[in-house]
């Protein structure tokens, strides 16, 4: 298989406000080959996006070099186009114009630019929205425009920096399938996709090769060849086994000195980004239906995106308020007791259940040990260690919401502190 780009012994340092430097990448060597979908996976801060920008020529390494087609890269990589987390569209231009203008800036004549724009608009499923402005589009549609704009320049390598992280779960799943579909078309570019992600299931679903980076500084921990056939099924045993193998490598990377059982014991539970009010609403709906309901029926009746409904169910299950046998959601005795309780008793019960979650109990204890005031950076850095494939900022927001509902602790966004005014009675 031909090598398009070759990253050789890449080091990268960034300057700190204090005047020192921090090493982000160290001795990273990686070939990017023709006709592969390669994914770089790792915890927040491990240098994934930095590596992608070095490949694209947007920033230069402090050590090592990048070769493009056997020649040392000097400046912007001519074979690369990038799709960022946000679509970064011009708000005053239509969908079509957002694609045409960059093509004209590259010297393409007007007629050819218009023809190309219409072709990629059809490829990404935006036919009929050519004259729409970004403000008129959903998040998923904006991201499709960003993908279309990158495809229009027919790059050899399409770089994608967590491109689905800002859209809902269902839209993300659809976009992943569509990206694999147009990459698999051997008659057109991009020949190769280089994507950055923190989502293990996402890269197992999409990638032919998965590079796991260790953190602080980023180094290649392991490379997985993903030989699962397309189209891939999230529910297949082989898919699950590969996901588990990658999880194990990430855990070993972040907690290398602990045996497997001890590492599992230190893990935090990822909190679904939902509120306690939504959990109560779920329990009330189940109670009105005899205590159980099919999860698809719940999603339809709640009128919410399916992935979000699953998050509410998961939250309730984490604190033992529901069980989920097969595709059903069943209220537990604890869930029924909570519904019958007064508002004050509900808060007490929720507090007791929440403190059984390691993430909440440990942060609560950390605040106590810090005399009632804890810098948010302590929680964010611990989250990056314990949950390397979660978004620490989003996790902090959810954690604070749960803690407020349980009267455990609060958060001051101006001082970036988690605090307890008066320690609650044990």
């Amino acid at each position: 298989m031909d090598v398009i780009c070759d990253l050789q012994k890449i080091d990268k340092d960034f300057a700190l406000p204090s005047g020192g430097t921090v090493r982000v990448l160290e001795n990273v060597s990686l070939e990017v080959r023709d006709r592969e979908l390669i994914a770089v996976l790792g915890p927040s801060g491990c240098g994934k996006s930095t590596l992608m920008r070095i490949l694209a020529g947007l920033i230069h390494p402090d050590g090592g070099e990048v070769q493009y087609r056997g020649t040392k890269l000097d400046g912007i990589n001519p074979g690369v186009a990038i799709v960022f987390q946000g679509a970064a569209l011009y708000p005053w231009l239509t969908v079509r114009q957002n694609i045409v203008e960059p093509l004209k800036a590259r010297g393409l004549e007007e007629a050819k630019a218009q023809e190309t724009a219409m072709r990629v608009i059809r490829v990404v499923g935006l036919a009929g929205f050519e004259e729409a402005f970004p403000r008129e589009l959903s998040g998923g549609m904006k991201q499709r425009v960003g993908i279309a704009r990158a495809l229009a320049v027919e790059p050899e390598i399409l770089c994608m920096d967590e491109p689905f992280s800002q859209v809902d779960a269902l839209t993300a799943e659809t976009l992943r399938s569509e990206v694999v579909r147009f990459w698999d078309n051997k008659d057109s570019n991009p020949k190769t996709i280089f994507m950055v992600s923190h989502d293990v299931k996402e890269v197992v679903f999409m990638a032919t090769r998965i590079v796991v980076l260790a953190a602080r500084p980023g180094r290649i921990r392991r490379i997985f060849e993903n030989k699962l056939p397309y189209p891939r099924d999230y529910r297949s045993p082989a898919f699950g086994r590969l996901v588990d193998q990658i999880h194990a490598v990430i855990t070993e990377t972040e907690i290398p000195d602990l045996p497997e059982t001890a590492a599992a014991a230190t893990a935090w539970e990822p909190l679904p980004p939902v509120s306690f009010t939504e959990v109560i609403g779920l329990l009330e709906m189940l109670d009105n239906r005899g205590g159980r309901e099919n999860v698809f029926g719940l999603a339809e009746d709640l009128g919410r995106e399916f992935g979000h409904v699953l998050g509410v169910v998961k939250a309730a299950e984490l604190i033992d308020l529901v069980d989920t046998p097969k595709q059903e959601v069943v209220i537990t005795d604890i869930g029924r007791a909570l519904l019958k309780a007064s508002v004050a008793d509900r808060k007490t019960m929720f507090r007791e259940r929440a403190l059984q979650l390691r993430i909440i109990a440990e942060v609560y204890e950390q605040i106590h040990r810090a005399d009632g005031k804890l810098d948010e950076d302590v929680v964010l850095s611990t989250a990056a260690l314990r949950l390397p494939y979660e978004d620490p900022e989003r996790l902090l927001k959810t954690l604070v919401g749960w803690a407020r509902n349980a009267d455990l602790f609060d958060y001051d966004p101006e001082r970036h502190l988690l605090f307890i005014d008066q320690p609650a009675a044990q």
Side-chain angles (χ1 to χ4, degrees):
M1 188 177 292
D2 292 342
V3 175
I4 301 176
C5 286
D6 190 7
L7 297 99
Q8 300 176 351
K9 298 182 179 180
I10 299 297
D11 297 333
K12 183 62 185 177
D13 300 326
F14 284 128
L16 296 173
S18 61
T21 61
V22 59
R23 174 144 291 189
V24 179
L25 293 169
E26 184 172 81
N27 196 31
V28 175
S29 295
L30 182 66
E31 292 181 344
V32 181
R33 306 166 186 161
D34 186 26
R35 292 297 174 194
E36 73 170 343
L37 203 165
I38 183 171
V40 177
L41 179 72
S44 297
C46 73
K48 302 185 299 292
S49 295
T50 300
L51 186 65
M52 188 200 75
R53 284 164 171 77
I54 289 173
L55 171 68
L58 298 178
I59 57 178
H60 301 289
D62 295 307
E65 69 177 35
V66 180
Q67 291 190 353
Y68 170 68
R69 294 293 184 184
T71 302
K72 182 179 178 180
L73 183 66
D74 184 16
I76 300 298
N77 193 324
V80 166
I82 301 179
V83 178
F84 294 103
Q85 290 185 36
L89 305 179
Y90 298 113
W92 59 89
L93 298 181
T94 65
V95 167
R96 178 180 51 78
Q97 290 167 336
N98 261 285
I99 299 169
V100 165
E101 292 305 315
L103 292 175
K104 289 167 63 177
R106 284 173 167 253
L108 203 65
E109 62 182 30
E110 175 77 23
K112 182 63 175 176
Q114 294 286 351
E115 178 186 337
T116 301
M118 295 306 296
R119 176 177 58 80
V120 295
I121 283 171
R122 289 192 295 271
V123 167
V124 301
L126 283 175
F129 292 90
E130 299 87 348
E131 304 308 316
F133 288 92
R135 65 177 179 274
E136 300 171 312
L137 304 176
S138 67
M141 294 171 75
K142 290 176 184 176
Q143 201 64 347
R144 287 173 190 266
V145 180
I147 293 171
R149 186 169 56 188
L151 291 178
V153 301
E154 298 187 339
E156 285 188 282
I157 303 174
L158 176 62
C159 287
M160 308 185 79
D161 188 2
E162 304 203 28
F164 316 120
S165 62
Q166 296 187 18
V167 298
D168 64 82
L170 187 59
T171 299
E173 187 168 335
T174 301
L175 287 173
R176 290 181 196 118
S177 297
E178 293 185 358
V179 168
V180 171
R181 175 180 57 79
F182 64 66
W183 163 77
D184 198 37
N185 180 358
K186 301 300 188 291
D187 296 328
S188 63
N189 281 351
K191 293 181 171 65
T192 292
I193 293 178
F194 182 98
M195 67 178 292
V196 164
S197 179
H198 65 272
D199 188 323
V200 177
K201 290 184 178 179
E202 175 174 274
V203 301
V204 172
F205 181 79
M206 296 182 67
T208 58
R209 199 157 53 110
I210 300 164
V211 180
V212 180
L213 290 187
R216 300 176 298 276
R219 303 173 307 280
I220 293 179
R221 180 67 180 181
R222 185 168 170 186
I223 298 178
F224 291 84
E225 296 287 343
N226 186 355
K227 298 182 179 179
L228 295 176
Y230 294 103
R232 292 173 179 164
D233 183 354
Y234 289 99
R235 300 164 297 178
S236 75
F239 189 101
R241 284 193 296 271
L242 183 52
V243 167
D244 289 344
Q245 289 174 27
I246 295 171
H247 276 157
V249 169
I250 293 174
T251 302
E252 178 187 354
T253 300
E254 295 305 307
I255 316 174
D257 298 323
L258 295 178
E260 185 175 347
T261 53
T266 66
W268 277 1
E269 310 89 341
L271 298 178
V274 302
S275 68
F276 184 55
T277 301
E278 290 176 295
V279 172
I280 293 295
L282 170 67
L283 296 180
E284 290 174 343
M285 178 173 284
L286 290 172
D287 191 52
N288 290 335
R289 300 182 179 195
R292 66 172 58 222
E293 178 60 276
N294 181 282
V295 66
F296 298 103
L298 284 173
E300 183 176 348
D301 291 345
L302 287 170
R304 299 297 302 274
E305 186 268 319
F306 184 66
H308 186 78
V309 174
L310 287 181
V312 177
V313 172
K314 178 62 176 176
E317 188 175 30
L318 272 175
I319 51 178
D320 300 323
L321 302 181
V322 301
D323 286 329
T324 54
K326 296 184 179 180
Q327 294 180 357
E328 286 200 306
V329 184
V330 181
I331 192 169
T332 63
D333 290 341
I334 297 172
R336 291 187 188 279
L338 187 141
L339 277 182
K340 293 177 181 178
S342 66
V343 173
D345 287 343
R346 280 185 180 182
K347 192 171 288 286
T348 299
M349 291 179 68
F350 181 58
R351 173 190 170 89
E352 292 171 350
R353 308 309 303 173
L355 282 173
Q356 293 185 19
L357 300 179
R358 186 178 295 275
I359 180 173
I360 292 177
E362 289 191 10
V363 172
Y364 184 53
E365 180 61 29
Q366 283 179 318
I367 299 173
H368 271 294
R369 289 200 302 267
D371 296 324
K373 294 180 181 178
L374 183 69
D375 193 289
E376 69 173 17
D377 283 343
V378 175
V379 179
L380 291 173
S381 60
T382 307
L385 176 68
R386 300 290 186 85
L387 292 167
Y389 29 84
E390 293 288 324
D391 180 345
E393 298 280 356
R394 183 168 61 184
L395 186 66
L396 175 65
K397 181 179 179 181
T398 304
L399 174 66
V400 169
W402 284 43
R404 283 171 173 164
N405 275 292
D407 275 347
L408 287 169
F409 53 84
D410 210 331
Y411 174 66
D412 184 339
E414 293 186 357
R415 294 185 296 162
H416 305 285
L417 290 176
L418 289 84
F419 66 91
I420 301 172
D421 277 336
Q422 295 179 342
Q426 299 295 318

